[in-house]
Amino acid sequence: MDLTVGSMLAVDGISNGAVYALIGLATVLVFSVTRILFIAQGEFVVFGAITLAQINAGSVPSAIYLLGTLTLGCLLQELWLAWQRRRVDRRLARELARVLLPSSFIIAVTVLAAPVGLPLILQALLSLMLIAPMGMLVYRLIYRSIADASVLTLLIVSVGVHFALVGLGLIFFGPEGYRTSALLDVSVQLGSVPVSGQAIVVIVTALLLISLLFWFSTCTFPGMALRAAAVNRLGARIVGLSSDRAGQTSFILAAAIGALSGILIAPTTTLYYDTGFLIGLKGFVAAVFAGLSSFPGVMIGAIGVGLLESFGSFWSSAFKDSIVFGAVIPVLLLRTILTRTQEDH
């Protein structure tokens, strides 16, 4: 390997690492606020990429049916809870409106706008608008009623949610692979190393989104409420902050970040309905490197994962994933040695 090849592999690894950083940030965000290890984060990546590909092809995306199915499930859940309480009041009407109105509006806009032939940036925004509410609906449908369960129970449920979303992906999107055109079809020469416009878009978008998340969490009330719920759920409840709303907000952000990650990688790889698990797992590995608690640590860990994958594929492409996942073992051993033992709640 000479310096030019090494530089090309490094650029590729940093580009992939930027995407893993976004997925890892979403994983840490959800875990810190809700204590849920959301295994299905990669499914939102695939849903976002396939939705953009279908809109790009000029057809109405199948995601509207998935969104409609999740909305219907939440509506039936609210009606079932009202029947159990034997009470039909304004609260029921308010909850039904919160579930039904946004989904109906988004589906109507998508049906009207998708076949028109929008510019690529508007197609990406439409895809984000379709996928982001799915996070809130998944939280309401599955996790809200078991929010106080143990971490192990939530993890087992997450595994089930992962398989359920993969099955729904097969039903609504089919077994075909999807790929989109490049968001920026140019190439820049940095010395002797060619850098594609797509890699630049991925890195810049990841940096902008991470900066936006920092601003959201430090300068806005919803962001500070999320931080409060992440630091102390009971304390947040005592001062009047809704842990339920914090959970829904974290899942909306996780779904939006996942969909954006899918949009960024869709031009570089063909995505199938079940591709999300492997992608999400690499983001999870980056989050594990950071102890599921540190956002800067996730970024460093994700870049490390991307570089390991890139250089691993050069030395032995068949074992690149094994190299990445095998790196978790020494990191966990090192963290176990260096971290003081603390009694869990």
Side-chain angles (χ1 to χ4, degrees):
M1 179 191 299
D2 57 15
L3 183 60
T4 302
V5 175
S7 301
M8 293 172 65
L9 291 173
V11 171
D12 188 53
I14 293 172
S15 175
N16 291 335
V19 175
Y20 299 146
L22 294 179
I23 300 172
L25 286 175
T27 302
V28 171
L29 175 65
V30 169
F31 180 75
S32 60
V33 174
T34 65
R35 301 177 299 119
I36 297 171
L37 280 172
F38 193 51
I39 306 296
Q41 179 63 35
E43 269 57 66
F44 291 130
V45 177
V46 172
F47 294 165
I50 295 179
T51 299
L52 176 61
Q54 291 181 333
I55 296 176
N56 208 349
S59 59
V60 176
S62 304
I64 63 168
Y65 305 110
L66 179 56
L67 181 61
T69 301
L70 293 174
T71 302
L72 179 61
C74 286
L75 292 176
L76 294 176
Q77 184 188 48
E78 291 296 335
L79 292 174
W80 170 255
L81 293 175
W83 183 82
Q84 284 187 319
R85 293 193 302 265
R86 300 289 194 275
R87 184 185 300 173
V88 178
D89 52 10
R90 289 184 178 178
R91 179 181 178 280
L92 175 62
R94 187 171 61 247
E95 293 298 324
L96 292 178
R98 282 179 179 173
V99 173
L100 184 60
L101 293 181
S103 298
S104 302
F105 174 75
I106 293 170
I107 290 174
V109 170
T110 303
V111 170
L112 293 174
V116 173
L118 298 170
L120 189 56
I121 184 65
L122 294 182
Q123 293 177 7
L125 290 176
L126 192 58
S127 302
L128 285 177
M129 198 169 64
L130 262 174
I131 303 302
M134 292 183 188
M136 180 195 70
L137 296 174
V138 168
Y139 180 82
R140 293 179 66 106
L141 192 59
I142 307 296
Y143 293 109
R144 187 169 62 169
S145 59
I146 58 170
D148 294 324
S150 66
V151 175
L152 179 60
T153 302
L154 294 172
L155 175 61
I156 294 171
V157 172
S158 287
V159 175
V161 171
H162 157 67
F163 286 114
L165 288 180
V166 170
L168 289 173
L170 176 60
I171 293 172
F172 291 110
F173 298 114
E176 300 85 7
Y178 292 89
R179 194 166 186 162
T180 64
S181 54
L183 298 173
L184 184 61
D185 193 14
V186 297
S187 180
V188 178
Q189 198 74 19
L190 294 179
S192 59
V193 181
V195 181
S196 68
Q198 184 63 33
I200 296 173
V201 169
V202 169
I203 296 171
V204 171
T205 305
L207 291 176
L208 287 176
L209 185 61
I210 291 168
S211 302
L212 187 63
L213 282 175
F214 177 78
W215 170 81
F216 175 77
S217 62
T218 56
C219 301
T220 66
F221 181 76
M224 288 187 280
L226 280 181
R227 289 173 58 200
V231 173
N232 190 321
R233 289 167 58 85
L234 179 60
R237 288 180 185 174
I238 290 174
V239 298
L241 298 176
S242 171
S243 59
D244 177 51
R245 185 163 297 178
Q248 293 186 44
T249 304
S250 66
F251 267 73
I252 290 175
L253 290 173
I257 293 172
L260 179 62
S261 303
I263 291 169
L264 292 176
I265 64 173
T268 59
T269 183
T270 303
L271 293 170
Y272 299 86
Y273 72 96
D274 58 350
T275 311
F277 179 68
L278 195 59
I279 299 172
L281 206 55
K282 290 175 182 174
F284 178 73
V285 168
V288 169
F289 283 177
L292 290 170
S293 59
S294 168
F295 290 136
V298 171
M299 294 174 58
I300 296 172
I303 297 300
V305 169
L307 292 174
L308 272 176
E309 183 185 39
S310 180
F311 283 89
S313 64
F314 177 79
W315 294 110
S316 177
S317 60
F319 293 101
K320 64 175 185 178
D321 294 332
S322 302
I323 294 171
V324 171
F325 298 134
V328 174
I329 298 174
V331 171
L332 288 179
L333 286 174
L334 187 63
R335 293 190 64 87
T336 303
I337 295 171
L338 297 179
T339 306
R340 290 184 178 180
T341 304
Q342 295 180 353
E343 186 178 353
D344 201 357
H345 61 277

